[in-house]
Amino acid sequence: MSGPAKRKLSAREVALDVLTRVEQEGAYSNLLLNQSLQKLQLDRTEAGFATELVYGTIQRLNTIDYFLSSFVTKGLAKLQPWVRNLLRLSFYQIYYLDRIPPHAAVNEAVNIAKRKGHQGISGMVNGVLRNVLRNKESLHIPESMDRIARIALTYSHPEWMVERWVRQYGEEAAIAMCASNNEAPHVSVRVNTVKTDRASMIQDMVSAGMDARPSELSPAGVVVDSGGNMALTDWYKDGLFSVQDESSMLVAEALRPEPGMQVLDCCAAPGGKTAHIAELMNDTGHVLANDVHPHKQKLIAEQAFRLKLGSIETRVSDALTLAKQLKPASFDRILLDAPCSGLGVIRRKPDLKWAKQPEEVEQIAALQSKLLDEVQSLLRPGGILVYSTCTTEPEENVRMAEAFLARHPDFTWAGEASASPAWLEICNKTEASEHASLIQILPHQYHSDGFFIARFMKRQA
């Protein structure tokens, strides 16, 4: 005789579990959420609501805690993690989401507290949230607060990050970057030009009822609004496109790979830029896709197989040792898409802003410098080396590029003569570009990831 059917978890319960495990285990919210949604098979609406609650609560974390702390007598830190996160995600609904009836948010929180805890906890949750409801209109960040602290709380970012961005880019740009990081990212895809072209792909998407338009940044890019998960479409399965951010698509353009060339991608996983390089070469020549993580080699190989790109070879090794393994001056092009602090992709990974510490920028810059020094000897004279990161920090970007040139006088900036027409067009429309050799894109400028790309050329002997 079978027992009673197991109750299906609600979107709020799934979000609460993810938020609590992210806090306790240091797990990545995007990976944990995807695993939970696949395992629990929530319908599309519930899955969307759970996603909104997880990302929204993490995005606004310090602002939520600032307001909530005045309603919890013994302090948020003394609560059990699941109770703390239940209050946070409920506050997020009450304060930030207009479409959720506030009393429904409170009632559902109390029901969850009863199921997971006891009468005392549910009573406390009920009291705190009803107090929030009564005082919602009076919750504001004080005008008298220190300027940096006020920006950090208004736009929910760590103070150290805001202070750096104000110093580096000015207050107006820093505020725009923070606000942009709290918005939902665009969905964009890169058309596999070996198999089709952008105009045909857009036509097919529009015919299927999607809102698709050409990317402003990349000649192979398409921005798709209201298209859902593009990786679940038959077009994706058939290798007609890859899901990729628009800024990321600029990296392969910067390299200007040509058919028949030998190209090295030093830190290649998960393989998006590798595949784009092979596509620009019309799948002729050889792209050596190296990565230090053995389990990521499979991801690169799967991408190449799906896109039917036979010019890609995968390799597992530490990029710091490549110069000892490969023949000197044996590549026409080298891409070093370096490990970085990742502060340009906070919109996609909101937990990253709370996990990072300022000293990590200095540590990762030291590794980037070593990687550049190691791989440069593999480039032939007249070849192009592209260095890229998905961060906004000058120590990892423009200062890193300038220091590399100072250490290696056999390299120079790769200027207009070596650039592709697509890259030159991008440089002409991008404010933060210099002599076709480098671009810094900030997250608010094109609603894409923050990215830095520098192009170097090895001088002819």
Side-chain angles (χ1 to χ4, degrees), residues 62-63 66-67 140-164 166 171 174-175 178 354:
N62 67 345
T63 316
Y66 172 79
F67 286 134
H140 301 291
I141 309 294
E143 293 285 347
S144 58
M145 188 176 274
D146 168 77
R147 179 175 59 113
I148 298 296
R150 183 176 164 75
I151 296 171
L153 272 182
T154 303
Y155 299 96
S156 268
H157 278 65
E159 284 191 31
W160 70 266
M161 210 174 278
V162 172
E163 195 276 332
R164 284 176 85 101
V166 168
E171 186 170 320
I175 289 173
C178 291
W354 307 119

Side-chain angles (χ1 to χ4, degrees), residues 8 63 100 122 151 207 235 250 273 282 325 398 401 422:
K8 196 167 184 177
T63 316
I100 306 295
S122 67
I151 296 171
S207 298
W235 297 315
L250 300 183
K273 298 180 190 73
N282 201 26
Q325 304 171 45
V398 66

Side-chain angles (χ1 to χ4, degrees), residues 375-438:
V375 302
Q376 54 82 25
S377 66
L378 296 169
L379 189 69
R380 69 161 171 81
I384 293 173
L385 166 63
V386 166
Y387 168 78
S388 61
T389 71
C390 58
T391 194
T392 54
E393 299 307 289
E395 293 92 330
E396 301 176 64
N397 295 341
V398 66
R399 287 180 212 153
M400 179 65 58
E402 290 169 348
F404 171 73
L405 288 181
R407 290 195 305 276
H408 297 278
D410 53 335
F411 276 81
T412 185
W413 292 115
E416 291 188 13
S418 65
S420 70
W423 175 260
L424 288 176
E425 188 179 335
I426 293 156
C427 288
N428 288 336
K429 72 167 78 164
T430 306
E431 289 176 18
S433 65
E434 290 185 27
H435 44 75
S437 304
L438 63 89

Side-chain angles (χ1 to χ4, degrees), residues 12 15-24 57-58 61 65 68 76 79-91:
R12 290 180 176 89
L16 175 59
D17 177 64
V18 171
L19 287 168
T20 306
R21 289 172 64 191
V22 166
E23 182 181 349
Q24 289 191 296
T57 303
I58 293 174
L61 195 59
D65 282 2
L68 261 181
L76 278 174
L79 297 177
Q80 294 180 59
W82 74 265
V83 179
R84 181 164 53 243
N85 283 298
L86 179 59
L87 289 175
R88 284 169 170 163
L89 74 85
S90 302
F91 184 94

